[in-house]
Amino acid sequence: MQVPQDGEDVAAQPWYHGPLSRQKAEALLQQDGDFLVRASGSRGGHPVISCRWRGSVLHFEVLRVALRPRPGRPTALFQLEDERFPSLPALIHSYVTGQRPLSQLTGAVASRLVTRQGPIRRSFSEDTLPDSPARTELLRHEALMLAGALAVLGCAGPLEERAAALKGLVELALALRPGAAGDLPGLAAVMGALLLPQVSRLERTWRQLRRSHTEAALAFEQELKPLLRALDEGAGPCDPGEVTLPHVAPAVRVLEGEELPGPLDESCERLLRTLHGARQMAQDAPRFRETAARRLRGFRPNPELREALTTSFLRRLLWGSRGAEAPRATRLEKFQRVLSVLSQRLEPDH
């Protein structure tokens, strides 16, 4: 039996059935060794290998480990137990042609694919598998960050107008800090916008901020930047009495497989702090909810604005419907080029 190994589009593989319930998958697997791959509804759309073995149908979730985009290497790795593969087809090819057990515990071997009949209900490639909660958090962070950068770089008017936009973002960050709104993911996104190279290089604009809005400039340098640095290093404030949404970005990046910067000993210490902080956040989740409820007491959301503040809407607004579905690395690369052009138009290099 030939198992495709070089297809980038998972939906093109005959063993891939798309979104399929556990019950329907089990009905399709009749003999020992029969297998298929499906998108699990209960596991956020993650790929699952369903295989009949010794009279029972077993289900094995394929882990997807995202990598920091780098030239010449895949954007994610796929694994069942120990070994990782650059694509889902490569993983299936290795296990099926090598007759390797899908898990050492069960000894189940996938040997005969159950071919999909007809088109699947939804087609998506490996790069656009439904997002995990961790990736959704990163997507929201980047969308808010880029929207904040556009608020500055889109000001084509007088210099004072751009300085006022910077001041507005600084004031927003101050309003989100612990003890105020306590929205640390929002704070990190706003600070990310201010620290983007395309924004931080605007020397005339920052000089005008210091001249016209000295208090905001001092708060940015002396309070907000050290605060964000401490949060990113896992050493920032996270008192549930002052925070409604904790700073989960460092833990999310670890879960997504991103490498921590710095020497090995420092990165290991930072990793331990991040993991300890993530565990503490999970334990404090009920207290965060209580603090958020107190902050929101009496607040009435505007239904017309609710949709505009969702991550999916922001992605469509920034990239368009088709662009929002492109691989993350491609989206960011294109948008970074746009921001660079806008930045150069505002303050050209001399």
Side-chain angles (χ1 to χ4, degrees):
M1 179 191 63
Q2 294 295 318
V3 178
Q5 61 175 323
D6 57 356
E8 286 298 322
D9 190 358
V10 175
Q13 308 301 339
W15 38 257
Y16 183 69
H17 288 241
L20 190 69
S21 69
R22 175 187 291 251
Q23 293 75 18
K24 290 182 178 179
E26 292 177 353
L28 294 173
L29 305 174
Q30 300 296 319
Q31 303 179 47
D32 276 7
D34 284 359
F35 80 95
L36 58 83
V37 181
R38 60 190 178 88
S40 170
S42 63
R43 303 296 296 171
H46 287 193
V48 170
I49 301 174
S50 297
C51 177
R52 180 171 288 277
W53 186 250
R54 294 181 178 174
S56 300
V57 176
L58 307 175
H59 305 274
F60 305 90
E61 181 180 1
V62 179
L63 301 179
R64 185 180 190 273
V65 181
L67 301 176
R68 181 179 299 173
R70 287 183 179 174
R73 81 172 189 180
T75 58
L77 297 177
F78 296 79
Q79 71 179 93
L80 281 175
E81 290 193 331
D82 296 327
E83 187 175 357
R84 295 180 175 182
F85 298 85
S87 68
L88 183 56
L91 181 148
I92 298 297
H93 175 80
S94 177
Y95 277 89
V96 175
T97 59
Q99 292 294 279
R100 301 170 55 190
L102 298 175
S103 78
Q104 295 300 318
L105 179 63
T106 65
V109 174
S111 57
R112 188 169 40 254
L113 69 86
V114 174
T115 304
R116 181 183 72 247
Q117 301 297 321
I120 59 178
R121 289 189 289 113
R122 178 181 176 186
S123 174
F124 46 79
S125 68
E126 292 171 20
D127 281 324
T128 56
L129 286 170
D131 296 318
S132 65
R135 180 162 296 112
T136 299
E137 181 62 33
L138 285 182
L139 291 172
R140 181 162 183 79
H141 173 85
E142 74 181 26
L144 291 173
M145 178 182 67
L146 296 175
L150 280 178
V152 177
L153 299 175
C155 292
L159 180 63
E160 178 57 37
E161 183 180 332
R162 292 200 301 278
L166 283 181
K167 173 177 176 285
L169 289 180
V170 171
E171 290 177 340
L172 177 57
L174 290 170
L176 295 171
R177 71 190 190 278
D183 179 357
L184 301 190
L187 168 66
V190 174
M191 288 297 294
L194 291 168
L195 294 171
L196 276 175
Q198 294 90 338
V199 175
S200 60
R201 65 170 292 276
L202 300 176
E203 295 182 4
R204 292 175 52 227
T205 306
W206 285 99
R207 192 180 306 121
Q208 184 65 30
L209 176 74
R210 291 189 289 270
R211 183 182 300 119
S212 302
H213 311 287
T214 306
E215 186 175 343
L218 289 174
F220 175 72
E221 293 292 340
Q222 298 179 5
E223 180 178 354
L224 292 175
K225 287 174 70 173
L227 172 61
L228 181 65
R229 189 180 307 114
L231 289 171
D232 282 341
E233 293 177 354
C238 197
D239 182 354
E242 296 188 339
V243 171
T244 56
L245 292 173
H247 186 49
V248 298
V252 168
R253 294 189 184 103
V254 169
L255 290 174
E256 288 294 292
E258 291 193 13
E259 301 171 4
L260 295 175
L264 181 60
D265 55 344
E266 293 181 9
S267 61
C268 287
E269 290 181 7
R270 185 171 174 180
L271 175 61
L272 289 175
R273 287 198 303 269
T274 299
L275 295 177
H276 174 74
R279 181 172 61 181
Q280 190 63 48
M281 290 176 202
Q283 293 174 349
D284 289 337
R287 299 177 62 192
F288 289 129
R289 284 194 290 269
E290 292 174 3
T291 303
R294 288 197 302 271
R295 294 281 198 280
L296 294 174
R297 190 171 294 134
F299 173 73
R300 292 186 177 182
N302 186 334
E304 296 178 356
L305 289 178
R306 179 173 296 179
E307 171 65 18
L309 295 176
T310 62
T311 303
S312 59
F313 179 85
L314 287 173
R315 291 175 65 188
R316 293 195 302 270
L317 178 66
L318 293 171
W319 290 286
S321 297
R322 293 183 60 185
E325 299 303 322
R328 179 171 178 261
T330 303
R331 291 199 314 270
L332 289 179
E333 180 185 1
K334 290 182 177 179
F335 213 89
Q336 291 290 343
R337 290 203 296 265
V338 171
L339 295 181
S340 296
V341 170
L342 292 175
S343 181
Q344 285 291 331
R345 286 181 178 177
L346 293 177
E347 295 188 22
D349 288 331
H350 297 294

